[in-house]
Amino acid sequence: MNQPQWVLLPVIIPLAGAAVGLLLRHQRRVQAYGSLGVILTALAASLFLLGRVYTYGPQVAQLGGWAAPYGISLTADLTAALFVVMAQAVLSTGFIYALGCNDRCSRFPTFYPLFLTLSTGLTGVFLTGDLFNLFVFAELLVISGAALTAISDDPLGLEAAYKYFLISLLASLFLLVAAGSLYVSYGTLNLADLSARIAADPTRPLTGVAAACLVVFFLVKSAVAPFHFWQPDFHTVSPTAVSAMLSSVVVKVGVYGLLRMTTLWFVPFAAELRAFLIVAGLVGVIFGGLTAVGAQHAKRMLAYSTLGQIGFILVGIGWGTPLALTAALVYIINHSLIKSALLMIAGATASRAPVKSAAFSALRGVGKFTPLGGALFLLGGLALAGIPPTNGFISKLTLLRSGLALGDGWTLAGLAAGSLFSLVYVGRAYRNIWWLPAQGEIKPKAGGDRLLAPAVLVTLSLVLGIWAEPFVNLCLQAVAWMLNPAAYIALVLGG
Amino acid sequence: MNFLAWVFFAPLFCLLAALGVSLWARSARSSVRLGLLVSLAPLAAFLSVAAVLPRVTAGNPLRLNLPWMPSLGLEAAFFLDGLGALFALLISGIGVLVVLYAGYYFADHPEDAPRFFSLLMLFTAAMLGLVLAGDVITLFIFWEGTSVVSFLLVGFKHKDEAARRGALRAFWITGGGGLALLFGLLLLAEMAGSTRLSVILASGPVLRAHAHYPLALVLIALGAFTKSAQFPFHFWLPGAMSAPTPASAFLHSATMVKAGLYLVARLNPALGGTDLWFWLFSLTGMVTLLVGAWLGLRQRDLKALLAYSTISQLGVLMMLLGQDTSIAFKGFVIGVTAHALYKSALFLTAGAVDLAAGTRDLTKLGGLWKTHRGLGLAAGVAGLSMAGLPPLFGFLAKETLLAAVTHPNIPPVTSLVFTASTVIAGALMLAQAGRFVVDTFFGERPAAQPPARPLARAVAVLCAVPAGLSLLLTSLPEPEPIAAFLASAASAAYGGPVKVSLALWTGINPPLVLSVIAVSLGLFLFYRRARVIADQEFFSAWAGRPNLETPARAALRLLDRAAAVSLRTQSGKLRRYLAVILAASSLLVAYALLRQPIAFQSLAVPTPDLAGGLGVLRLFALLLVVGASAASVFLQRDLMAVLALGASGLSVAVLFALEPAPDVALVQIVVDLLVTTILILALRRIPRPLREQANDRRTASGSVRDALLAAAGGLWMAAVTLISLTSRPRVSIVTPFYEANAKPLTGARDVVGAIVLDFRGFDTLIEITVFAVASLGVYTLLRRGLGLYRAAHEMPADEKPHRSFLMGIGGQRPSALVRLLTDAILPLSMVIAVVHMMYGHDQPGDGFTAGVMVALATGLWHIVYGNREARRRLPWLHPTPLVAAGLLTVLVSASLGAWISGSFLSAVDFGKLWGLSLPPGFALSTAFFFEVGIFLVVLGSAARMLDTLAFGEEAAPRQGG
């Protein structure tokens, strides 16, 4: 192959780093800072990849030199490259947070290697061009995430990890059925090849079943109601650095898949899928908003709010116009930054509480020990509620405009209700932590988790809210390319 | 860019001031000095706006369009005409006063001053941006900015429950209104085809004729009404009075609450003039006017009284905006100016009174005139203006208002109602002003109160400045420039020429007569105020308070209840979660199956080839699979169920072998053995009573649910399998390629080997990583998670260690024969492993089976020799380095492929490359290194799983492992 295989770097660098990290398990500091170096290198590689894709067009690597569809291809178009950059950037802040936190689990010798394999799994899912390969990466993602949660300082981490693992296993079963059905029907596993064949003959008896199974898989991954149950229990107890990753970038695996399903893999089914996604999105917006309003626990509230936010994204995918898809893409990336920042702030505040817990009752009055955390939380909360001048506003503005252009009034009304709910829960959370006086005298714990990582993320979300043009433009171009499946297929298959 | 366009950087001054204060003013010792310094920012803004007044008055608006998101057609556009300039001057001018005043207000708590100043400057920046915006999105951004800062300012004293409640309420109502506004503005932009104000203003006829006009108008009005505290959303404003007084003076009377009015005035040329517009704004304004005036009179708190009178005044202005006459807009600009001047003076006075007397409660005030003459004077002048008495600016405002509501263009009955309510409200306002001034400064100071504190003279001066201005504006020797400026503002709002004169005396005309009536009535009310207030209390108790507060609270309660109900779904029970997920996905799959008719005729029951000797074996294995699977479900003893599962797996292996697929069969066998071993080891760790309890927890309904779900799932799975077996046309693209090319391209005679190591080698790489991570997971779960879990649930560690695992079989030293076999099996397994690795590419068997076999052999050592002894005898078995080394081997060999032939994981035969002579059939290639890597990873991982599961936390972590 003549093309240098840059696509591989974001996947392979963390994997190699994990292996070396295992060898260095007795030099804790070397391992920790080395892992940070590795993930930052992976971020640099992702940015480099994005740059190459932007300049030279999508990058394809046929691994082992086997031409598609016989080998496994890794493909990076602008969408995938954006997702990879988003993932590695947020994961980098996760490492920074873990380095500055008091969780004892981050000192466990397998912590950083597992975090790195999580990164490999995540980037692999975004970059792979092969359905079975996607399954393998998804497994890596799940098993790394579950192990990281099981390590948690919270005694319930084990239970949450178990739930997450079993529910994900069920989802993987569906993915396997989908892969089998498609292989039986079309004789290939390469996604580009599959897309072309499905478009040519969508009436095979199992094509619809495969689509349904894939939808189930992605809905579980993205925690869409009623497939969301693992998510709130999970976020309450997993280590902050881990939960900040899972509720932000890892849940994006599902929406990434749904984006691909409606624009590339199952184009003949797109209309039906989109109609379904709008309904699923609305259910998520309302249900997620309601549960977030009712949650009595900061991290749980944020976890529920993810249900709602994913709902907004699904509606964007469901509308499916170029503008709506751009809005969805902008929303996806912005939400990753915001949600990880907020979970980190919640965790950092909890780390200062006398009894370490993110329940509002335990956090009362703790806010006054971390005014910087309060400012960051407020900005992040505004972003979550879509209030300017944050990037959350850009997402919501673009989404609403695309909906108005379509004239989908009822859906818009649902989104408005969801936005109102977000005002309620963000306002209340801020009041509960930073305004309500403590019950009785409380002493803060000295040296809580460092706020550097969320500060970076919140700054980024402000910058992306004010200087949004380059980012939005990138998303627009990504969508323009995404809506041209023929070009994608030709590129991968070399036709 | 016109250099005058620098005026648009006015908000930036305040923004920079806010930043500067929050960064460097932490150590400010004197809040007064800090106030002086900070006031430079609004002063600069004021001066820069004042500098462009001549041009703006002449009717030449300034514009500045900055690109923001050109790819979405959005820009940051700014625009300054008379209307914007009027508001900008009021904002920055009053801003200067308020900042200076706040310096004194915070003199006793200088530590709070920096936070307050930075918020105040942030707010000023947002407010200035709002009135300078030339694009509806730009406007909205600043609009939301004012709401957010207002939230923080109202909650400034957040130790106070009232402040917290007031802040949240203001945030929610203005935020909800903001949401409606965003929808409205976006709809407007969609209708006009641009978000730019100038385009929207120019496309009035199109907009008014558009089918979505009513919707857009109502949404925008919702935004304006919530912001400007119009009935029935007004109830947040009194609650917002928990803010520090300088903030109340600034936000909740002079500026922020006027943002709604500004917006309506701004859009009037485009959207106004319709019936809907008239009724929407005049009626809402009128009701607000009456409600505010009525409720204001009976307040005891000075700030609450001012809040309600503000509501009333905002109603007046909203009512004027609804009219389609030029005099209404004249009344609007005069009213805005007059109100801003006297109300800020009164608010500042209220704060000063609070500081001096220690209370704002009217029943505890009185007699302050003796000690605070300057303050009393300022309050008196401002109060007269509020009462609408000559020669003050407020008089002019009221005259114009009366002229507007009696304008012949308004339908007679409506005009009558408007006039009557204006007169009544005017009377009530006069009474309120009287209460404020007289009850505070005159009469006797209640004996129970401590003596009033002296105040800095500057405080009274600051209160007097706006009060004095309302006197000055009507008695200027040269009022023309100001009148012309106000006229340009009014014309911009009206969309046509408006004449403004500042002359107080216009002859005896209906407005003057009405004014006299209102004043007389007001004086009467004031004189009998005690009685009137008592009657009001009675009336209110009977009629209830006419606003949305109760419904809003009820809505919030309803929301909380709905939230609680939806939270109940998160029961924490995995079984229930899985059931819901399975049910939902079964529905989806069922829909997909049935969405196109199933071609039943093409479905044929597969007929297995049962002829011949192998046929019998196949039938036997098939029955065994079914029987063993059923047994694994129905056997009550878990150990037996696991064994049955193992048997079922082995039978599947037999079926594979008969296919013939020896590779797959081999892998199936070793995996089955490994899984069975792991399951038994894991079960062994759970105390028997707990294991038995698991069976007892089942309920009847739960069993029915599970059975139904299992049936549904099994049904669709069977259907899918049947369809895939019988209706597949077998068009595989890749299989023929693999079969044809395995040998020529990869040199492997074994197609499976070629697929695993070559064609889909990347899958293999990630799969072994998954395997490795799984083993790390087991390790971390048992080493760390379980200990924490036990500690939290106060579960004892197993009462006594399992002797069998520590000491060998059943705690007995195994017989020599067993030991001999054990000793032999490890080297034997290693030899097989080496063969597998060397020839795995060509023959059944590969690194994976090799790894599992050696791991199982070491497992046997653990069982026979006991944990400690086995570890002593197998010093090389360090799982973690094995795993890491294996992964690195694969990565290095794959990268070598990338280096030599340009593709990651591509095959390189080093033997051929270097001309080595090797045993026949063995190639020293990347495929071989791949096998070695897989072997190491699998051996390390499987050994670790067996080791940890068998001994778990009982065993001391070994050195290096």
Side-chain angles (χ1 to χ4, degrees):
Chain A
M1 290 275 104
N2 307 325
Q3 217 179 14
Q5 300 187 322
W6 301 118
V7 187
L8 261 169
L9 290 182
V11 184
I12 291 301
I13 291 173
L15 183 57
V20 176
L22 282 179
L23 288 178
L24 290 174
R25 66 199 179 287
H26 296 307
Q27 285 87 13
R28 210 179 60 73
R29 289 178 69 82
V30 179
Q31 190 205 38
Y33 285 95
S35 301
L36 177 65
V38 169
I39 195 79
L40 288 176
T41 316
L43 173 61
S46 316
L47 285 168
F48 177 70
L49 176 66
L50 179 66
R52 277 195 74 87
V53 173
Y54 186 76
T55 334
Y56 301 108
Q59 307 278 306
V60 181
Q62 312 285 9
L63 295 180
W66 306 107
Y70 306 113
I72 291 173
S73 342
L74 289 191
T75 321
D77 61 351
L78 261 182
T79 312
L82 272 171
F83 269 86
V84 170
V85 169
M86 163 192 90
Q88 300 289 30
V90 173
L91 283 163
S92 301
T93 61
F95 274 78
I96 295 174
Y97 186 90
L99 282 171
C101 81
N102 295 331
D103 290 343
R104 276 180 301 147
C105 63
S106 68
R107 297 185 187 79
F108 204 66
T110 50
F111 184 82
Y112 289 102
L114 284 172
F115 222 121
L116 285 170
T117 52
L118 183 81
S119 156
T120 297
L122 190 56
T123 37
V125 167
F126 295 144
L127 287 176
T128 186
D130 186 281
L131 189 55
F132 188 77
N133 198 232
L134 188 143
F135 166 74
V136 181
F137 274 120
E139 287 303 287
L140 184 57
L141 189 61
V142 167
I143 203 155
S144 311
L148 279 171
T149 306
I151 303 181
S152 170
D153 288 2
D154 194 304
L156 290 173
L158 197 61
E159 190 182 324
Y162 181 64
K163 285 177 190 164
Y164 174 56
F165 187 65
L166 270 187
I167 293 179
S168 299
L169 212 60
L170 183 64
S172 298
L173 177 75
F174 279 86
L175 178 55
L176 215 52
V177 172
S181 304
L182 288 176
Y183 184 70
V184 157
S185 309
Y186 299 100
T188 181
L189 287 169
N190 182 295
L191 285 165
D193 198 19
L194 267 178
S195 313
R197 288 174 197 282
I198 290 173
D201 178 12
T203 55
R204 287 284 159 77
L206 286 182
T207 318
V209 173
C213 289
L214 274 179
V215 165
V216 169
F217 173 74
F218 289 129
L219 291 185
V220 172
K221 291 284 134 186
S222 272
V224 178
F227 301 90
H228 65 280
F229 293 108
W230 59 272
Q231 204 245 21
D233 292 357
F234 181 88
H235 287 292
T236 322
V237 294
S238 67
T240 302
V242 178
S243 75
M245 300 305 107
L246 266 102
S247 192
S248 60
V249 281
V250 177
V251 292
K252 299 303 179 340
V253 167
V255 289
Y256 175 79
L258 293 167
L259 263 179
R260 291 292 189 200
M261 280 185 80
T262 50
T263 57
L264 177 68
W265 305 341
F266 286 91
V267 172
F269 296 78
E272 253 171 290
L273 284 173
R274 285 183 174 143
F276 171 74
L277 287 182
I278 290 181
V279 175
L282 272 180
V283 170
V285 166
I286 301 295
F287 183 78
L290 278 178
T291 43
V293 166
Q296 297 300 318
H297 185 284
K299 280 190 173 181
R300 240 180 146 73
M301 180 203 88
L302 292 169
Y304 283 122
S305 115
T306 298
L307 301 186
Q309 300 289 318
I310 294 285
F312 279 91
I313 295 167
L314 290 187
V315 167
I317 300 176
W319 278 334
T321 59
L323 188 60
L325 288 175
T326 309
L329 201 51
V330 170
Y331 215 120
I332 287 168
I333 294 173
N334 283 340
H335 175 254
S336 296
L337 303 176
I338 300 162
K339 189 48 67 64
S340 48
L342 284 174
L343 276 165
M344 287 177 192
I345 299 164
T349 314
S351 77
R352 286 162 171 80
V355 184
K356 184 173 176 180
S357 157
F360 287 135
S361 55
L363 289 181
R364 276 187 71 158
V366 178
K368 77 173 173 201
F369 306 124
T370 166
L372 174 65
L376 293 175
F377 188 89
L378 188 70
L379 284 171
L382 294 180
L384 197 61
I387 291 173
T390 58
N391 58 351
F393 173 64
I394 308 285
S395 333
K396 200 161 278 183
L397 176 70
T398 330
L399 188 67
L400 294 186
R401 277 183 79 190
S402 67
L404 277 172
L406 279 170
D408 189 352
W410 288 110
T411 311
L412 282 171
L415 298 190
S419 302
L420 272 181
F421 295 158
S422 68
L423 283 180
V424 173
Y425 62 73
V426 165
R428 274 191 185 164
Y430 185 76
R431 175 196 60 184
N432 289 342
I433 304 176
W434 277 275
W435 279 358
L436 278 182
Q439 284 156 328
E441 202 58 23
I442 57 167
K443 260 195 237 154
K445 266 197 213 129
D449 298 356
R450 260 185 250 153
L451 284 167
L452 175 62
V456 168
L457 287 166
V458 168
T459 312
L460 206 56
S461 91
L462 275 183
V463 169
L464 286 181
I466 294 163
W467 189 47
E469 166 63 18
F471 169 55
V472 170
N473 191 10
L474 209 57
C475 291
L476 266 172
Q477 293 190 28
V479 167
W481 170 260
M482 192 168 24
L483 288 173
N484 188 359
Y488 184 103
I489 292 166
L491 190 87
V492 176
L493 298 182
Chain B
M1 188 168 78
N2 188 320
F3 85 96
L4 287 175
W6 284 104
V7 68
F8 295 116
F9 289 85
L12 216 55
F13 302 148
C14 301
L15 195 64
L16 289 177
L19 270 181
V21 171
S22 52
L23 288 181
W24 293 298
R26 290 263 165 259
S27 53
R29 248 172 263 134
S30 154
S31 60
V32 176
R33 224 174 300 159
L34 187 62
L36 264 175
L37 199 65
V38 171
S39 71
L40 291 179
L43 186 67
F46 183 84
L47 292 178
S48 46
V49 176
V52 299
L53 274 192
R55 184 190 153 121
V56 168
T57 309
N60 296 318
L62 284 160
R63 288 169 212 283
L64 175 68
N65 298 321
L66 303 171
W68 183 40
M69 284 198 279
S71 47
L72 290 179
L74 290 178
E75 54 183 11
F78 295 92
F79 171 80
L80 182 68
D81 63 353
L83 185 65
L86 173 66
F87 277 86
L89 283 180
L90 287 175
I91 292 159
S92 49
I94 294 176
V96 174
L97 288 178
V98 165
V99 169
L100 290 173
Y101 175 86
Y104 293 97
Y105 186 83
F106 279 99
D108 294 343
H109 306 278
E111 70 281 0
D112 283 342
R115 186 161 63 102
F116 182 78
F117 279 126
S118 60
L119 285 176
L120 202 63
M121 281 301 103
L122 214 54
F123 173 80
T124 317
M127 197 63 215
L128 281 173
L130 198 163
V131 297
L132 293 177
D135 179 288
V136 287
I137 301 298
T138 315
L139 185 144
F140 178 77
I141 290 174
F142 290 112
W143 179 283
E144 292 288 89
T146 61
S147 297
V148 171
V149 187
S150 159
F151 165 67
L152 292 174
L153 278 172
V154 175
F156 193 81
K157 295 185 262 184
H158 51 73
K159 292 202 177 86
D160 199 356
E161 165 64 18
R164 293 193 297 263
R165 202 183 314 125
L168 272 184
R169 188 185 284 173
F171 181 59
W172 288 337
I173 292 176
T174 53
L179 197 64
L181 178 67
L182 178 63
F183 275 95
L185 290 178
L186 285 177
L187 197 57
L188 193 62
E190 189 73 29
M191 284 149 59
S194 167
T195 56
R196 209 185 267 191
L197 259 180
S198 51
V199 178
I200 291 174
L201 291 182
S203 41
V206 181
L207 294 178
R208 287 189 292 265
H210 201 282
H212 288 148
Y213 167 78
L215 180 62
L217 183 59
V218 167
L219 286 171
I220 292 172
L222 270 177
F225 290 167
T226 49
K227 196 85 166 174
S228 282
Q230 297 292 303
F231 177 87
F233 305 106
H234 61 277
F235 59 95
W236 68 265
L237 189 58
M241 290 300 141
S242 320
T245 306
S248 310
F250 194 38
L251 272 70
H252 305 122
S253 81
T255 55
M256 188 179 87
V257 289
K258 298 231 172 73
L261 298 171
Y262 170 78
L263 177 75
V264 176
R266 181 91 277 171
L267 293 175
N268 176 48
L271 302 179
T274 60
D275 280 351
L276 178 63
W277 177 281
F278 174 78
W279 290 113
L280 194 59
F281 293 111
S282 333
L283 273 188
T284 310
M286 191 194 85
V287 175
T288 310
L289 155 74
L290 287 173
V291 168
W294 168 259
L295 290 176
L297 186 60
R298 54 176 243 239
Q299 302 302 321
R300 285 165 49 180
D301 183 350
L302 282 183
K303 279 176 82 177
L305 186 146
L306 291 178
Y308 280 106
S309 86
T310 302
I311 291 172
S312 167
Q313 195 62 34
L314 293 169
V316 167
L317 297 170
M318 196 59 88
M319 184 168 89
L320 285 172
L321 287 175
Q323 327 282 328
D324 190 18
T325 57
S326 68
I327 187 147
F329 285 85
K330 176 187 169 190
F332 173 71
V333 292
I334 292 180
V336 165
T337 317
H339 178 249
L341 291 177
Y342 73 70
K343 196 48 70 62
S344 55
L346 289 176
F347 257 112
L348 297 184
T349 312
V353 166
D354 194 4
L355 287 182
T359 178
R360 296 193 311 250
D361 191 333
L362 274 171
T363 57
K364 296 178 187 158
L365 284 168
L368 276 183
W369 175 252
K370 286 173 207 145
T371 47
H372 295 80
R373 301 228 160 166
L375 207 57
L377 205 62
V381 174
L384 289 178
S385 185
M386 174 173 163
L389 293 173
L392 288 135
F393 207 54
F395 171 70
L396 189 65
K398 200 170 59 181
E399 292 301 289
T400 330
L401 165 68
L402 286 166
V405 292
T406 52
H407 193 278
N409 267 13
I410 304 174
V413 179
T414 317
S415 173
L416 201 66
V417 174
F418 284 175
T419 311
S421 43
T422 313
V423 169
I424 294 170
L428 283 164
M429 292 284 266
L430 185 139
Q432 285 176 34
R435 254 196 109 196
F436 183 97
V437 177
V438 174
D439 291 352
T440 307
F441 289 95
F442 301 102
E444 280 305 312
R445 184 161 172 76
Q449 295 295 315
R453 286 173 50 195
L455 290 173
R457 187 160 302 160
V459 173
V461 172
L462 286 171
C463 299
V465 170
L469 272 178
S470 39
L471 189 61
L472 203 66
L473 275 177
T474 51
S475 46
L476 282 178
E478 279 292 331
E480 279 82 14
I482 292 187
F485 167 59
L486 288 179
S488 81
S491 316
Y494 179 51
V498 179
K499 268 190 248 149
V500 174
S501 88
L502 295 180
L504 283 179
W505 180 252
T506 50
I508 294 182
N509 47 17
L512 189 67
V513 176
L514 289 168
S515 199
V516 170
I517 297 175
V519 168
S520 331
L521 190 62
L523 284 174
F524 172 74
L525 285 175
F526 172 67
Y527 182 67
R528 303 286 308 268
R529 58 188 181 277
R531 183 67 209 272
V532 172
I533 292 169
D535 287 350
Q536 269 190 320
E537 300 290 351
F538 169 76
F539 185 74
S540 295
W542 170 71
R545 266 188 282 175
N547 63 29
L548 272 185
E549 186 170 357
T550 321
R553 269 202 202 144
L556 211 56
R557 260 205 306 279
L558 190 70
L559 180 64
D560 281 331
R561 188 143 329 146
V565 169
S566 44
L567 272 177
R568 225 171 280 158
T569 53
Q570 194 75 23
S571 58
K573 295 204 169 70
L574 179 61
R575 209 171 247 270
R576 211 172 282 173
Y577 295 169
L578 285 173
V580 173
I581 293 176
L582 257 179
S585 24
S586 293
L587 277 179
L588 271 180
V589 175
Y591 167 78
L593 263 177
L594 302 175
R595 67 189 275 287
Q596 61 186 39
I598 298 177
F600 283 103
Q601 64 279 10
S602 72
L603 290 183
V605 178
T607 46
D609 178 16
L610 297 177
L614 285 182
V616 178
L617 194 53
R618 195 168 278 157
L619 188 66
F620 176 70
L622 212 57
L623 289 176
L624 211 55
V625 171
V626 176
S629 307
S632 73
V633 174
F634 290 108
L635 277 174
Q636 290 292 318
R637 285 194 59 187
D638 36 23
L639 211 58
M640 292 300 153
V642 168
L643 286 178
L645 201 63
S648 137
L650 285 176
S651 322
V652 171
V654 172
L655 286 175
F656 281 145
L658 290 174
E659 198 55 35
D663 281 274
V664 188
L666 190 57
V667 174
Q668 172 74 24
I669 290 170
V670 295
V671 168
D672 193 68
L673 288 178
L674 184 64
V675 167
T676 311
T677 317
I678 286 176
L679 278 177
I680 291 175
L681 286 178
L683 277 178
R684 190 70 186 73
R685 297 172 56 85
I686 307 173
R688 182 173 294 276
L690 266 183
R691 273 154 58 193
E692 275 160 8
Q693 264 176 30
N695 275 340
D696 302 337
R697 296 253 173 96
R698 279 183 299 199
T699 60
S701 62
S703 299
V704 170
R705 176 197 68 193
D706 293 353
L708 281 176
L709 276 175
L715 202 64
W716 69 254
M717 194 68 210
V720 168
T721 314
L722 195 62
I723 295 174
S724 62
L725 278 178
T726 59
S727 72
R728 66 172 165 181
R730 202 59 188 157
V731 285
S732 180
I733 312 300
V734 289
T735 312
F737 175 86
Y738 291 155
E739 278 166 4
N741 292 316
K743 183 68 191 162
L745 291 183
T746 70
R749 273 183 296 161
D750 179 16
V751 180
V752 176
I755 293 175
V756 169
L757 293 181
D758 293 289
F759 297 116
R760 301 189 64 92
F762 194 54
D763 274 348
T764 314
L765 168 60
I766 304 302
E767 272 162 9
I768 58 171
T769 315
V770 171
F771 200 68
V773 173
S775 80
L776 288 180
V778 171
Y779 176 70
T780 40
L781 275 178
L782 292 184
R783 275 285 147 75
R784 188 174 156 74
L786 194 65
L788 283 170
Y789 193 83
R790 283 218 171 110
H793 289 74
E794 294 174 354
M795 268 160 67
D798 301 348
E799 281 100 26
K800 51 186 173 190
H802 303 299
R803 290 170 55 80
S804 58
F805 285 115
L806 289 174
M807 304 285 291
I809 297 168
Q812 311 268 315
R813 195 170 165 77
S815 67
L817 179 66
V818 172
R819 271 182 287 148
L820 183 68
L821 279 176
T822 310
D823 286 346
I825 211 161
L826 187 60
L828 200 63
S829 72
M830 284 187 177
V831 170
I832 298 176
V834 171
V835 172
H836 271 198
M837 279 184 281
M838 285 176 68
Y839 300 102
H841 208 193
D842 277 354
Q843 305 284 341
D846 50 25
F848 180 79
T849 50
V852 178
M853 275 189 281
V854 176
L856 283 173
T858 64
L860 188 62
W861 275 52
H862 275 291
I863 290 170
V864 170
Y865 289 115
N867 181 29
R868 254 170 244 138
E869 180 69 9
R871 284 186 176 178
R872 202 179 56 77
R873 291 190 181 206
L874 302 170
W876 48 270
L877 192 67
H878 291 315
T880 312
L882 282 177
V883 168
L887 275 178
L888 287 175
T889 308
V890 179
L891 285 174
V892 167
S893 104
S895 306
L896 278 179
W899 188 39
I900 292 174
S901 65
S903 206
F904 191 75
L905 278 171
S906 63
V908 180
D909 192 335
F910 300 103
K912 247 183 226 162
L913 206 63
W914 298 327
L916 301 178
S917 61
L918 295 163
F922 171 65
L924 186 67
S925 60
T926 43
F928 172 67
F929 290 121
F930 206 158
E931 294 277 27
V932 173
I934 297 172
F935 167 74
L936 291 175
V937 170
V938 172
L939 171 60
S941 307
R944 155 152 288 163
M945 288 186 203
L946 293 173
D947 186 6
T948 331
L949 272 170
F951 310 109
E953 79 279 21
E954 290 109 341
R958 63 159 67 198
Q959 198 60 35

